Amino acid sequence: MNHLELIKNLPKAELHLHIEGTFEPELMFEIARRNQISTRFKSVEEIREAYNFHNLQSFLDIYYEGANVLLHERDFYDLTMAYLVRCREDNVVHTEIFFDPQTHTERGVAFATMFRGIHQALQDAKKEWGITSHMIMCFLRHLSEEDAFKTLNESLPFKKDILAVGLDSSEVGHPPSKFQKVFEAAMSEGYLTVAHAGEEGPAAYIWEALDLLKVKRIDHGVRCLEDEKLMKRIIEEKIPLTVCPLSNLKLCVFKTLKEHNLKKLLDRGVKVTINSDDPAYFGGYANQNYIETAAALGLSSAELKTLAANSFEASFLSHSDKEKWISKVTSQN
Ligand code: HPA
Ligand code: ZN
């Protein structure tokens, strides 16, 4: 089987996906129109042309701008459902999605409005197509810890449907230690924890995420190779990294995909996974990330299967569900 077919056929879990980052310009335009919101863009093409990023912040500015047109429960439902349709096409059978409440509550959208729209779409995709999911609530790290506490409190009525908390947005200058107390409070409410670290920020932020925020996975984490002691820990403790190759390329974390360190990490025995991060902005959903990475780094079929198996192992699925999917991965030829 060639790589393309293998990638299509492999069941996969996606573990690093911002639902606001799946907002395709066509849908953005449609929702802006029905909500009677005018944007500075005249056409879908103009929006796409603006997607020229040189670092994380240049992306975040436009990502928050795009989210401004989301107002009603139906808007969040349509956004999420459009992503789930792509999951089905890519054989992503399980997804653990990030959502950013503060991006919406700061604009006056109620937590419940946003939450119910996203959650209903996830429920419907499970019923219709058997796609399973978890929700991970991210705090925006450029805002204060006090603001994160406010968001944590707003989430409590919906706690049974939120598995974990995470940390995203502008990394440099906003270390994990800034959020130690709110993560402790989240854990005492029963939330698991993950955090973006070592995307643009230093390896020291990965240490902090592990030691202070007690994370179960590191989102991105590609700068871990700069610290050999950290590498040893990540390998020994089997700490998964949710790597996003096309995101790293578009945000200039690596100059070219050929220079990406994913294969080095894989060769060292790190539990790496491939994910799409913000696919509407970075030019590809899960399979496109697998395809382009495999081509650039010369990944073998066995390595592609390892990556798919890792995606289930690193997930928050039950032990028996992990086993079930991993056996389907290994039986592909
Ligand atoms: N990094 C940090 N914050 C984000 C990202 C990312 O890749 N995507 C959406 N918010
Ligand atoms: Zn991310």
Side-chain angles (χ1 to χ4, degrees):
M1 206 189 310
N2 66 31
H3 271 9
L4 221 63
E5 257 178 85
L6 175 64
I7 290 167
K8 272 195 200 160
N9 291 343
L10 282 170
K12 291 163 290 280
E14 178 142 75
L15 308 178
H16 187 150
L17 182 284
H18 302 261
I19 198 62
E20 293 88 350
T22 67
F23 206 4
E24 292 287 348
E26 289 79 4
L27 184 59
M28 200 181 284
F29 240 79
E30 186 192 322
I31 293 181
R33 189 185 41 79
R34 77 185 185 209
N35 288 345
Q36 295 173 324
I37 296 171
S38 59
T39 70
R40 67 182 165 103
F41 300 109
K42 300 278 170 300
S43 66
V44 162
E45 292 69 37
E46 246 186 61
I47 300 184
R48 285 228 162 79
E49 273 163 30
Y51 292 177
N52 247 323
F53 315 116
H54 49 275
N55 60 16
L56 175 58
Q57 193 60 50
S58 61
F59 153 69
L60 289 170
D61 292 342
I62 206 159
Y63 160 89
Y64 295 128
E65 187 182 345
N68 279 340
V69 304
L70 297 164
L71 295 183
H72 308 294
E73 191 171 318
R74 179 182 160 204
D75 304 340
F76 291 93
Y77 181 93
D78 290 350
L79 170 72
T80 308
M81 189 46 87
Y83 164 64
L84 291 160
V85 167
R86 305 300 292 257
C87 285
R88 188 159 172 254
E89 289 168 6
D90 276 8
N91 207 10
V92 170
V93 297
H94 175 72
T95 182
E96 302 188 353
I97 67 165
F98 298 129
F99 64 106
D100 290 343
Q102 288 151 301
T103 300
H104 314 296
T105 53
E106 267 206 327
R107 302 180 288 114
V109 174
F111 189 103
T113 300
M114 165 220 53
F115 185 86
R116 290 198 181 110
I118 298 172
H119 186 250
Q120 189 60 52
L122 295 172
Q123 295 286 100
D124 289 354
K126 181 163 184 225
K127 205 165 105 202
E128 291 292 321
W129 305 316
I131 296 173
T132 57
S133 56
H134 287 307
M135 294 178 75
I136 303 175
M137 176 174 78
C138 280
F139 302 121
L140 300 184
R141 67 203 304 159
H142 67 276
L143 300 177
S144 67
E145 187 179 46
E146 191 188 343
D147 213 294
F149 263 109
K150 209 173 112 217
T151 303
L152 177 63
N153 286 332
E154 283 178 306
S155 78
L156 295 180
F158 308 95
K159 190 167 93 171
K160 76 168 181 41
D161 294 314
I162 304 173
L163 189 71
V165 296
L167 196 59
D168 65 2
S169 191
S170 323
E171 186 181 5
V172 174
H174 302 285
S177 52
K178 178 177 164 186
F179 296 93
Q180 187 177 354
K181 288 197 183 69
V182 74
F183 268 62
E184 278 166 3
M187 283 185 274
S188 68
E189 292 289 349
Y191 291 116
L192 300 174
T193 63
V194 298
H196 283 56
E199 177 186 17
E200 284 188 346
Y205 285 17
I206 303 177
W207 283 108
E208 283 192 12
L210 294 170
D211 290 335
L212 305 181
L213 307 187
K214 315 286 182 204
V215 298
K216 299 275 186 277
R217 304 194 286 252
I218 297 286
D219 297 315
H220 293 297
V222 289
R223 289 192 61 189
C224 66
L225 262 172
E226 295 169 20
D227 182 336
E228 192 46 39
K229 208 166 145 223
L230 177 61
M231 280 295 288
K232 283 211 177 71
R233 174 157 181 204
I234 286 175
I235 294 161
E236 265 170 40
E237 295 183 19
K238 300 185 169 59
I239 297 158
L241 304 186
T242 64
V243 175
C244 309
L246 289 178
S247 163
N248 293 156
L249 179 67
K250 290 291 187 301
L251 301 188
C252 308
V253 174
F254 297 94
K255 274 207 218 73
T256 66
L257 217 45
K258 278 197 189 321
E259 290 166 78
H260 199 288
N261 65 11
L262 178 133
K263 187 166 155 50
K264 284 194 196 88
L265 294 167
L266 207 54
D267 289 346
R268 290 285 309 272
V270 177
K271 199 174 286 301
V272 280
T273 63
I274 285 189
N275 309 272
S276 68
D277 205 4
D278 302 282
Y281 293 88
F282 300 148
Y285 289 77
N287 283 3
Q288 196 63 27
N289 273 271
Y290 274 79
I291 290 165
E292 292 194 32
T293 309
L297 303 181
L299 300 180
S300 66
S301 301
E303 285 168 327
L304 288 170
K305 286 161 78 171
T306 298
L307 287 161
N310 283 355
S311 75
F312 293 108
E313 256 178 63
S315 76
F316 294 131
L317 282 167
S318 69
H319 184 70
S320 62
D321 281 339
K322 289 184 188 187
E323 299 272 283
K324 175 186 82 179
W325 287 118
I326 291 167
S327 76
K328 285 196 202 293
V329 167
T330 46
S331 69
Q332 294 286 327
N333 47 40

